[in-house]
Amino acid sequence: PKAMPEAIAAWIITGGDIVILYDTNEKKSKLSFEEEATESSVNSNSTDDTASSMIKKWFNKELVSMNIIIVGAGLTGIELARRLIQDKNNVVIIDNNPEIVSHISNRLDCMVLEADGNSLENLKEAGIEKADALVVVTNSDEVNMITCSLVDSLYPEITKIARVRNS
């Protein structure tokens, strides 16, 4: 599997939410990422340096272009997509709000699907079989975790990230 791009790592480090990184191939608990990132950021002058070092530490791989599916086109999903596209990654956004989908498809250079992201059929249409990463950032923590769990049961090799809020 390929390493996560820096934009995802930077989002994880600076997002302020608890992020659960699903990876059945890793024995290390990903829940400690926030603690490690905080410790690393104390010793680093920039978020990008921290993101790079965390990626290299975790995956021990060079950063390359990836196929990434983002479920949820709120502020976090759109900003993450913008950064990933800027880094030359292939991005697919899934959201069930027709107004948001129309708005995004006219402004971002990526595939945008109007659909529920927790449906396996819709994820297959988005190209989950060829995806390197799935990032689920809907406004429902339960949907985020269930979607990652569903994908993990069928595609354990894909890196899965679910946003879970502190409150």
Side-chain angles (χ1 to χ4, degrees):
K2 300 175 185 174
M4 280 191 302
E6 288 185 43
I8 291 178
W11 172 76
I12 291 171
I13 292 169
T14 62
D17 292 326
I18 296 172
V19 175
I20 300 173
L21 180 57
Y22 287 83
D23 189 349
T24 56
N25 297 327
E26 292 284 329
K27 292 183 180 176
K28 178 180 177 182
S29 169
K30 302 300 188 192
L31 290 173
S32 63
F33 189 93
E34 190 173 281
E35 294 167 11
E36 290 179 26
T38 302
E39 290 172 15
S40 296
S41 64
V42 170
N43 301 323
S44 174
N45 293 331
S46 86
T47 302
D48 290 338
D49 291 340
T50 303
S52 295
S53 65
M54 291 305 297
I55 294 300
K56 289 176 183 174
K57 180 178 176 182
W58 270 21
F59 294 99
N60 203 18
K61 300 223 177 194
E62 292 298 317
L63 301 175
V64 293
S65 179
M66 295 177 63
N67 298 315
I68 302 164
I69 298 173
I70 299 173
V71 178
L75 183 63
T76 304
I78 292 171
E79 183 58 31
L80 179 60
R82 183 175 286 124
R83 290 182 186 194
L84 290 168
I85 293 166
Q86 194 173 30
D87 289 343
K88 307 291 187 238
N89 292 289
N90 302 314
V91 175
V92 177
I93 299 175
I94 303 174
D95 198 278
N96 58 7
N97 185 323
E99 293 174 11
I100 292 176
V101 168
S102 175
H103 177 78
I104 295 170
S105 61
N106 292 326
R107 287 172 176 71
L108 293 178
D109 184 23
C110 66
M111 181 177 165
V112 183
L113 297 176
E114 181 186 336
D116 289 326
N118 60 350
S119 160
L120 191 56
E121 184 177 311
N122 295 336
L123 289 166
K124 285 182 180 180
E125 183 181 345
I128 194 71
E129 295 95 353
K130 295 180 183 178
D132 297 302
L134 171 72
V135 182
V136 189
V137 290
T138 71
N139 58 4
S140 168
D141 294 346
E142 293 81 12
V143 169
N144 296 348
M145 292 178 10
I146 289 168
T147 302
C148 283
S149 295
L150 171 68
V151 171
D152 188 54
S153 68
L154 298 171
Y155 305 99
E157 70 283 358
I158 296 174
T159 300
K160 291 152 287 288
I161 301 171
R163 176 178 66 180
V164 180
R165 293 174 185 81
N166 270 334
S167 51

